[in-house]
C-alpha cells in the first residue's frame, strides 16, 4: 500500500522542509531499493526524515539516525555558471575554505564591470548566487571571484 516517500531535511534551526518525493512500489513481498540525492548544500549539519505515505493517505515518519555533516571545502573554487548559455538568469556556485570578504563581479567583453553580485563577508563553505541579466544585451560576459588572495575568472554567454 506504499504510495511513496516525502524526503524532508532540517538544519540546525529544526524546521523541516520537504525537498523531494520518491514513488513507492505499492504492496510487494520483494525487497525494494529507493534512493534520493540532495545536492548543492551549503556547509553545515543536516538531519533527514522520510514520510512514508500509503495510497489511502495514512503516513508515518521515519527519522534517519545520523546527522549529515557537509564540510568546509579544502580549496577555493568557482564553478561554471548553470545554465550556460542563459536567458536571463543563471546560478553561480563557489566554495571558500576560509571566512572573509568575497567579491563576485561581472564584466563585459571589453573588461568593463557591469555588475557586482557580491561584495561582503562570507563564512567558509559552499555558496551560490543568482545573476539576473535582464538589463544586459546578448553576448559574452566574464565573472570573477576575489577572496583571501584567490582570484578566478570564468566565461558565460547571455542569449536573448
Amino acid at each position: 500500500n506504499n504510495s511513496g516517500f516525502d524526503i524532508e531535511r532540517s538544519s540546525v534551526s529544526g524546521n523541516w522542509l520537504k525537498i523531494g518525493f520518491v514513488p513507492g512500489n505499492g504492496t510487494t513481498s520483494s525487497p525494494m531499493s529507493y534512493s534520493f540525492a540532495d545536492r548543492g548544500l551549503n556547509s553545515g549539519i543536516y538531519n533527514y526524515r522520510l514520510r512514508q505515505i500509503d495510497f489511502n493517505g495514512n503516513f508515518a515518519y521515519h527519522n534517519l539516525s545520523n546527522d549529515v555533516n557537509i564540510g568546509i571545502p579544502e580549496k577555493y573554487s568557482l564553478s561554471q555558471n548553470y545554465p550556460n548559455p542563459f536567458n536571463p538568469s543563471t546560478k553561480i556556485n563557489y566554495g571558500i575554505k576560509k571566512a572573509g570578504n568575497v567579491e563576485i563581479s561581472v564584466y563585459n567583453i571589453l573588461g568593463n564591470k557591469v555588475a557586482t553580485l557580491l561584495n561582503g563577508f562570507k563564512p567558509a563553505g559552499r555558496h551560490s548566487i543568482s545573476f539576473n541579466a535582464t538589463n544586459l544585451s546578448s553576448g559574452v560576459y566574464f565573472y570573477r571571484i576575489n577572496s583571501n588572495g584567490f582570484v578566478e575568472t570564468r566565461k558565460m554567454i547571455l542569449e536573448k
Side-chain angles (χ1 to χ4, degrees):
N1 194 20
N2 179 14
S3 171
F5 303 92
D6 283 339
I7 314 298
E8 297 182 358
R9 174 184 67 220
S10 78
S11 59
V12 179
S13 66
N15 295 326
W16 289 99
L17 174 68
K18 179 181 172 183
I19 59 170
F21 180 79
V22 176
N25 286 301
T27 302
T28 178
S29 58
S30 301
M32 305 305 295
S33 293
Y34 301 95
S35 66
F36 180 83
D38 190 13
R39 302 195 188 283
L41 292 173
N42 290 331
S43 297
I45 298 174
Y46 298 93
N47 294 298
Y48 291 87
R49 70 181 181 187
L50 302 176
R51 182 175 177 239
Q52 190 274 315
I53 307 163
D54 291 341
F55 284 113
N56 64 7
N58 292 340
F59 62 90
Y61 283 103
H62 304 278
N63 289 311
L64 299 177
S65 59
N66 295 331
D67 293 339
V68 176
N69 188 351
I70 306 297
I72 296 171
E74 293 180 11
K75 62 181 184 175
Y76 290 89
S77 64
L78 179 64
S79 298
Q80 184 64 52
N81 64 302
Y82 181 81
N84 190 35
F86 68 99
N87 177 22
S89 1
T90 189
K91 184 177 175 182
I92 298 169
N93 295 318
Y94 62 96
I96 55 174
K97 72 176 190 174
K98 185 175 160 187
N101 193 64
V102 177
E103 182 180 355
I104 299 177
S105 300
V106 178
Y107 299 85
N108 64 18
I109 197 78
L110 300 174
N112 299 319
K113 187 186 288 189
V114 296
T116 300
L117 305 182
L118 173 65
N119 189 6
F121 182 86
K122 284 290 188 179
R126 292 174 181 84
H127 306 277
S128 66
I129 193 162
S130 294
F131 174 49
N132 187 321
T134 301
N135 60 339
L136 298 176
S137 58
S138 296
V140 175
Y141 293 87
F142 298 91
Y143 57 102
R144 184 179 82 171
I145 187 171
N146 186 345
S147 179
N148 293 319
F150 171 76
V151 178
E152 188 170 344
T153 304
R154 292 193 177 256
K155 178 173 74 170
M156 61 183 165
I157 300 170
L158 172 60
E159 286 184 353
K160 288 189 173 183

